[in-house]
Amino acid sequence: MARVLLRNGRLICPFTGVDRTADVLVEDGRIAAVGHGGGIVTENAEVLDLAGKIISPGFVDLHTHLREPGEEHKETIATAVEAALAGGFTTVCAMPNTQPALDSRITIETVARRSEGLGVRVLPIGAITVGRRGEQLAPLGSMAAAGAVAFSDDGSPVSDAGLMRRALEYSRPMGLPIVTHAEELALSAGGSMHEGAVSARLGVRGIPAAAEEVMVRRDVALAEMTGGRLHVAHVSTVGAVDAIREAKRRGVAVTAEATPHHLALTDEWVAGWEDLDGDGRPPTALGERAYDTSTKVNPPLRSRDHVEAVIEGVRDGTIDAIATDHAPHSPLEKECEYGCGAFGISGLETALGLAMTLVGRGAATLPRLVALLTSEPARAFGLPPQGVREGARAELVVFDPEREWVVDPSRMASRGRNTPLDGHRLRGRVLLTIAGERVWRSPELEAR
Amino acid sequence: MTQTTRTLARALLDVDALGAEGIEEVLEEAGQMRGEDGRPVRSRELAGQIVANLFYEASTRTRVSFEIAARNLGAEVVNVQPSGSSITKGESLVDTVRTLESLGADAIVIRHSEAGAPYLVSRHFDGAVVNAGDGLHAHPTQALLDLLTMRDRFGELRGLRVAIVGDVSHSRVARSTTIGLVLLGAHVRLCGPRTLLPPDGWLEYLPRSERGGGAVQTTSLAEALEGAQVVMALRMQRERQTGGLLPGLREFVRDYGLDREKLSRLAPGAVVMHPGPVNEGVELAPELIVAKDSLIGRQVANGVFVRMAVLRMLLGGERG
């Protein structure tokens, strides 16, 4: 890459507190200059006129399933990186539920090594317990030394409260968060969707909201007792939001994330009643896509009252960050009966479009939304700030907040095409992502 | 083209998509399938067509009913009963359906333990699909035969008071029959212990009735039965007890098992129904099963007429 001049965009950088029209000159993977709009004059650079577009630090995803090692038919580190770039992400935190699980120094190093040179920073999360079996603490110290940025048994809860307590205690001096996948299995077992009116109508076994809330409350109590750092993954319920809000008020070291799909979609989607805007369409017969497993995700898409509570949690700061829980699957795991389908949505590439619905409904300003995707997740995990500053490594995204586009899974970069948004119109499109030497351009940008 | 013909041109997945008029169309057709002598009118109308009964759950009654219905119309019937092990071995439903399509099946009648399985089938199969029961979700031909049976007795269903009693939560029959009744303007009371009733909110997702129909839920049997013209008992699965949903069957029988004394609250001329097979002495006292106000035998007979009507509408000449 030679030189690219991003001219006249609206630079929103929550790390540096900047929100103004600016030029950014990128040279050989570094930010060579940041100037006032139209202020940088240079030769031998590709010039992109970005009036009306946003220039922001690259997005940071706290919750990505890379599937490598072990499930490369679903996704590889390389394809996940392409999906990340297409979604505007320049940092992804890799969940350890691979095969084998990332539960040792060696496996953490393997992921780190395989990710080198791909542009996007891939930061491994270590398992809390050996093999994610919930029986014995994994070597958290060795993994931290090898570069793990957090610990989680994501995909499964740590059901043993005593073990969770020790994990929070033991990790405390390392300053790394324990990420809880909050699910009480005694309540959720056998369920495939949110338990409520829609699951009753569909005859699908439900996962009650309380399965999340009781576990969040348990873990908050353990974090409070131990002084450990707790991060709550994919918050989806009224009760969990309340529990985290109360805990923060008491000064407990807890942070939380919500996914774009839990902020924008409801359990009505499982019945094929797709209604992004939420203006009540009368439920009559089931929709065309009833029982489509692309809506099957854990935690499940919740009912509207829960969605509203999570949005309120984002609005008032109870929820710190937006994280994708990108969970790619192959048709093998998804083209089946609803109850048999794998949980998960391929989410990196639709994250911005779904998250932009927060702006559309007035729950977040554009700068706040950018913060939820950049500085806030970085702060939650204690990652080094990556502001748009002269001399820094170029980690940038350019997006058009107004641009509408239609989701076409066949054109996704991820190997996982499992999205319920097939054919849906989203507003907010990533046009350009720069991750060091790596430059990703959207087809729209190429066509200009 | 109306919603009805469009829906029945491809599949019968549940009664909701039929709407009130569509349901009546099927019931009319089912009436045509019943001769003056009360026996099925046999024909060769579907000669040369292949109906595949794909039953992932054992169900002799429903399968035989479909088989007789198809044969009465001259169709060939193949019974595919995948063993549980072939499912776990990874022969997916989609594989099986594609195979049946390649083998020339014109219709698939599917029974499956997973809700929504027929919707998956209809997305991967070019022929006709009939839902013969999917998990806890729907059993549309059972609903249609229930409606036909009630209509035979009461004529108009608008305003009819129907109590459905027992394990509502785990009953696809309760769901489909309730939807059909509501669409046709009946008043349904769903009744059972709280752990066997769906959350009340599910009633909000029933189709809107243009005929004043509606449904409510109650744990009080007395309330449900008071003045009802039809009481339908649901089959009580014994594993509910072990699943921790009930303290025991004895308590269920005491509170919800139907007997003569409890039925004294019904309206004069009321009838007893049950989708079968009955657990005698659990949801129904034995004497009620063969009593003269029991329509259980009629339900079984009507099943054949309804299934003939459905197959004929899906596969018959006027199709497309």
Side-chain angles (χ1 to χ4, degrees):
Chain A
M1 182 178 104
R3 291 147 63 85
V4 179
L5 177 60
L6 310 179
R7 175 177 282 169
N8 258 327
R10 176 178 170 191
L11 173 62
I12 300 177
C13 179
F15 292 104
T16 54
V18 167
D19 181 358
R20 59 171 166 80
T21 304
D23 287 4
V24 178
L25 179 66
V26 178
E27 193 174 81
D28 298 328
R30 302 238 147 234
I31 295 172
V34 180
H36 289 284
I40 297 180
V41 179
T42 182
E43 289 171 10
N44 305 324
E46 177 189 359
V47 179
L48 296 172
D49 183 19
L50 299 177
K53 314 294 188 287
I54 309 296
I55 304 171
S56 127
F59 301 153
V60 176
D61 190 13
L62 298 181
H63 197 139
T64 317
H65 295 279
L66 300 180
R67 305 301 190 204
E68 181 180 346
E71 292 185 302
E72 287 83 355
H73 66 291
K74 299 184 181 196
E75 188 83 292
T76 64
I77 292 173
T79 56
V81 159
E82 293 304 308
L85 290 167
F89 292 89
T90 56
T91 299
V92 296
C93 299
M95 277 296 177
N97 62 333
T98 48
Q99 289 174 7
L102 310 184
D103 63 354
S104 64
R105 178 183 61 78
I106 285 264
T107 43
I108 294 287
E109 283 174 356
T110 300
V111 168
R113 196 173 56 245
R114 290 190 190 180
S115 311
E116 277 168 17
L118 296 175
V120 170
R121 287 194 295 160
V122 176
L123 307 177
I125 296 172
I128 298 172
T129 66
V130 175
R132 296 175 51 254
R133 283 191 295 274
E135 293 163 359
Q136 186 193 343
L137 274 190
L140 307 187
S142 311
M143 291 192 287
V149 294
F151 303 106
S152 181
D153 274 4
D154 186 67
S156 313
V158 177
S159 289
D160 181 335
L163 192 55
M164 190 62 160
R165 170 201 174 164
R166 297 304 176 204
L168 284 159
E169 274 174 352
Y170 189 79
S171 63
R172 186 182 164 186
M174 301 168 206
L176 301 184
I178 297 286
V179 181
T180 176
H181 168 112
E183 177 181 1
E184 172 50 64
L185 296 176
L187 289 170
S188 65
S192 293
M193 67 176 290
H194 173 61
E195 181 179 307
V198 178
S199 69
R201 171 73 176 80
L202 291 176
V204 172
R205 287 181 201 279
I207 299 171
E212 176 173 291
E213 181 184 351
V214 298
M215 211 54 150
V216 170
R217 290 195 181 273
R218 182 201 79 172
D219 288 343
V220 162
L222 294 174
E224 192 160 17
M225 175 176 86
T226 59
R229 265 180 75 186
L230 180 70
H231 178 79
V232 184
H234 41 51
V235 172
S236 70
T237 59
V238 173
V241 173
D242 285 347
I244 295 161
R245 184 181 291 124
E246 292 159 19
K248 285 189 165 183
R249 217 169 271 155
R250 289 200 306 276
V252 182
V254 57
T255 52
E257 72 192 30
T259 73
H261 48 271
H262 288 117
L263 290 166
L265 312 181
T266 68
D267 58 347
E268 293 181 346
W269 280 60
V270 183
W273 298 321
E274 301 152 7
D275 183 11
L276 268 180
D277 302 326
D279 46 337
R281 175 172 141 187
T284 52
L286 302 188
E288 292 272 317
R289 297 194 209 175
Y291 299 102
D292 191 311
T293 56
S294 67
T295 60
K296 185 172 174 179
V297 62
N298 190 19
L301 300 179
R302 300 286 185 185
S303 54
R304 189 159 300 285
D305 50 332
H306 291 290
V307 173
E308 295 297 332
V310 178
I311 291 170
E312 177 57 22
V314 170
R315 205 195 55 73
D316 74 6
T318 300
I319 310 264
D320 298 85
I322 292 173
T324 68
D325 194 4
H326 174 73
H329 288 292
S330 81
L332 192 68
E333 290 94 14
K334 281 290 196 181
E335 205 176 86
C336 56
E337 301 87 328
Y338 202 81
C340 308
F343 289 102
I345 290 174
S346 182
L348 282 168
E349 292 163 79
T350 54
L352 176 68
L354 283 183
M356 279 292 298
T357 59
L358 291 174
V359 178
R361 72 207 307 282
T365 60
L366 208 43
R368 167 76 177 143
L369 182 81
V370 169
L372 286 164
L373 287 163
T374 57
S375 57
E376 297 307 291
R379 195 175 46 78
F381 273 17
L383 307 176
Q386 291 290 319
V388 182
R389 297 187 184 85
E390 285 183 14
R393 181 172 188 262
E395 296 187 6
L396 292 170
V397 55
V398 173
F399 66 94
D400 183 342
E402 301 299 328
R403 177 134 194 156
E404 294 195 352
W405 59 290
V406 175
V407 178
D408 177 357
S410 71
R411 296 177 63 179
M412 282 167 61
S414 170
R415 199 165 273 186
R417 274 83 196 272
N418 47 303
T419 172
L421 297 167
D422 185 0
H424 281 272
R425 187 173 291 277
L426 297 180
R427 172 179 290 218
R429 178 76 163 146
V430 173
L431 299 176
L432 176 77
T433 307
I434 302 177
E437 301 270 345
R438 207 41 234 288
V439 181
W440 180 90
R441 292 156 202 269
S442 74
E444 289 89 339
L445 195 70
E446 294 283 22
R448 276 149 58 110
Chain B
M1 201 182 250
T2 68
Q3 170 86 8
T4 306
T5 42
R6 189 174 62 86
T7 304
L8 259 197
R10 272 277 288 129
L12 176 64
L13 303 178
D14 195 5
V15 291
D16 57 1
L18 293 174
E21 278 103 55
I23 290 171
E24 283 179 336
E25 207 176 306
V26 179
L27 298 184
E28 286 303 320
E29 186 88 5
Q32 303 290 312
M33 297 294 103
R34 177 162 52 193
E36 305 254 312
D37 57 355
R39 297 182 56 79
V41 178
R42 300 167 71 112
S43 74
R44 300 288 300 156
E45 212 173 325
L46 301 186
Q49 304 220 46
I50 299 173
V51 175
N53 278 336
L54 180 57
F55 275 54
Y56 284 86
E57 273 186 342
S59 166
T60 309
R61 302 159 56 98
T62 305
R63 185 180 57 73
V64 169
S65 180
F66 268 106
E67 184 162 352
I68 289 174
R71 288 190 194 283
N72 284 344
L73 295 166
E76 305 288 331
V77 178
V78 290
N79 287 305
V80 190
Q81 267 162 304
S83 64
S85 61
S86 83
I87 302 174
T88 50
K89 267 184 212 156
E91 180 174 348
S92 73
L93 178 57
V94 173
D95 290 338
T96 305
V97 163
R98 287 188 182 135
T99 303
L100 289 173
E101 183 167 292
S102 302
L103 290 170
D106 297 285
I108 290 178
V109 176
I110 176 161
R111 160 70 62 98
H112 202 289
S113 57
E114 286 292 340
Y119 293 74
L120 180 69
V121 172
S122 73
R123 285 195 269 266
H124 292 275
F125 182 68
D126 273 341
V129 178
V130 182
N131 182 359
D134 62 326
L136 310 181
H137 169 239
H139 197 348
T141 57
Q142 177 72 41
L144 290 164
L145 74 87
D146 290 339
L147 297 172
L148 181 62
T149 307
M150 290 181 221
R151 209 177 69 154
D152 286 348
R153 175 59 63 107
F154 296 98
E156 172 79 2
L157 298 190
R158 196 188 293 250
L160 190 73
R161 296 183 299 279
V162 181
I164 299 179
V165 179
D167 184 0
V168 176
S169 187
H170 299 90
S171 174
R172 53 193 170 211
V173 176
R175 282 179 176 72
S176 286
T177 301
T178 298
I179 289 169
L181 284 167
V182 166
L183 283 170
L184 294 185
H187 300 293
V188 183
R189 298 172 205 155
L190 298 161
C191 178
R194 190 59 256 183
T195 47
L196 297 182
L197 284 178
D200 289 337
W202 92 280
L203 300 170
E204 305 285 319
Y205 288 101
L206 291 175
R208 300 246 169 88
S209 176
E210 286 164 15
R211 302 182 180 192
V216 295
Q217 298 198 132
T218 173
T219 55
S220 160
L221 184 66
E223 210 173 280
L225 296 185
E226 193 63 48
Q229 296 161 282
V230 178
V231 59
M232 181 183 293
L234 299 170
R235 181 173 165 79
M236 185 66 205
Q237 308 278 351
R238 285 174 193 275
E239 56 271 24
R240 300 295 164 240
Q241 200 184 337
T242 52
L245 290 166
L246 285 179
L249 270 190
R250 183 179 295 184
E251 188 156 308
F252 177 81
V253 172
R254 190 194 66 178
D255 295 341
Y256 299 97
L258 299 181
D259 56 27
R260 270 291 161 228
E261 194 197 327
K262 288 180 185 137
L263 294 194
S264 63
R265 293 180 179 274
L266 296 177
V271 296
V272 177
M273 297 173 64
H274 190 292
V278 181
N279 293 304
E280 292 188 28
V282 181
E283 64 264 14
L284 277 183
E287 71 267 18
L288 292 178
I289 298 167
V290 292
K292 66 174 174 20
D293 52 359
S294 161
L295 297 183
I296 296 171
R298 287 291 200 83
Q299 287 175 273
V300 177
N302 279 342
V304 173
F305 306 130
V306 159
R307 289 170 180 128
M308 286 173 73
V310 168
L311 289 173
R312 196 163 166 267
M313 293 171 87
L314 287 167
L315 296 173
E318 69 271 44
R319 178 166 55 128

